[in-house]
Amino acid sequence: MADTAQGARILIRGGRVYDHDGDVHQPATADLLVSAGRIERIAPSVDAPSGTEVIDAAGKLVVPGFVNAHYHSHDVLMKGMFEEQPFDIWTTYTGASAYGPRSHREVRIRTLIGAAEMLRNGITTVQDFLTVFPPDEAYVDTVLSAYDEAGIRVNFAIAARDRSQLDIAPLMAKDLPEAIRSRIFGGAGRTAKQELDFVAGQIKRLGMNPKPLITWALAPSAPQRCTPELLKGLAALSHEHKLPVFTHVYETRPQAAAARVQSVSLLDLLKDAGLLNERLNLVHGVWLSAGDIELLAQARARVVHNPISNLKLKSGAAPILDLHKAGVEIALGCDNYSCAETQNIFIAMRMLCLLPAITSPEPHPVSAALALRAATLTGARAVNMEGRIGALKEGMAADLMILDLNEPAFVPFNSAARQIVFSESGAAIDTVLVAGRPVVRGHKLLTVDEAKLAAEAAEISPAFRKEIEAQIKRTADLVAPLLEGNRAVWKTQLGIARYVGGPRDS
Ligand SMILES: [Zn+2]
């Protein structure tokens, strides 16, 4: 991890320092010395060597930075454009290839907007699962430069797929008009070789650390959207470079039903390709069966839970308690702006703890302290940075936030863990460090001029909004058949319940 030589020496003095293994309710007061991007020392009292910048943290709480383990930066500018809607309709509006190539200026602005909000919300590491469209290396450079400018740590992946039909296609009526069929069942897409060459080519061109805070991951879009050749090629790359893999699996009931009617197991596809191992992160996993969960536990693969998009796209409530009981670790993500609107891990942690109530009235072990581990330590494992980020320990990277305990969420201060998870939403964040570099101070982002960025966004967004409105119009004739397809899906029995009081297997 190349986070040395970032920033000067900083002493964070007299704050409550959150320790996953200590008193998570009343963390001990300590000094924390940051040097060369890392936490050099944590002790009740640390002398500041001359030239050290001192941050007075009295009355403040120092917390590890969050890992946002699922995000797509291609549709940042769609924030606020859609109400809730089923996944299969949303995907026709928002897919990166639906509305043509973007300018480099627009790509830079959208990347910075997402990075800025994340940093302000205490997210110090993000996994960006980006569809680079068109697949042109100049866009990769623009995105990585914008992240470098913002100063956020990024585990970057280029989304890959070589099958273009919609996930629900196997369940759609076969007698649809040809103009509609062709868009649901897809046309000529990319080949496995083109996708692999592009991904491997970028890794080779830019090296394992394209920028000091940027590393790689791999991102087969979903097992059903990739041929075995593509999955195997990505597995070989993961093996060769020890790269984490993220892939969407069983996000929706139509995806699970499509697999069932075709007698396919998406986990078997991953296993056959050599991807079902501890480097694998299944994104969503709402419709995993009990057997699937067992397979994940055996493989030590994780699930990345995205509660907001799961609800906004009507995918259902993920089996949080079943995963936890089986020993499958859960990381947290915020997903796209077009289906979640905000990058806020406080909300994701809260939902992780609260959503199990809709399936079980019993007390459960998914506590606030566990949610904080999910948002930090498990996220760190997901992006292959275990032991390097996710906790405030000597020798680990200085990725942290400082929360003001005089803000409403913490008055009175009864429990750090519970008030971070159940009361706070980001408003108490005073300071954020990434690799020891202050990126937020006094609630203000230091790396990006937010007022200028807002002005630039205002300049480009009216034209962008028009393009999306045109895309919605172009797609209007797909809505009724797709809704009909969604209803027909219930004829396929799964024996899995992810809605409360809604439709059931007939
Ligand atoms: Zn996603």
Side-chain angles (χ1 to χ4, degrees), residues 145-189:
S145 293
Y147 279 132
D148 189 47
E149 186 181 340
I152 191 167
R153 198 183 291 280
V154 184
N155 183 231
F156 183 74
I158 297 168
R161 68 183 292 173
D162 60 346
R163 283 182 167 158
S164 56
Q165 70 172 7
L166 299 188
D167 295 332
I168 197 175
L171 296 151
M172 295 294 291
K174 302 291 181 265
D175 57 353
L176 293 164
E178 186 49 36
I180 289 176
R181 267 187 61 83
S182 62
R183 283 178 287 159
I184 289 171
F185 291 87

Side-chain angles (χ1 to χ4, degrees), residues 70-72 129 248 251 283-284 335-336:
H70 191 59
Y71 172 63
H72 306 269
F129 189 129
H248 300 98
E251 176 171 0
V283 183
H284 301 289
D335 218 341
N336 312 34

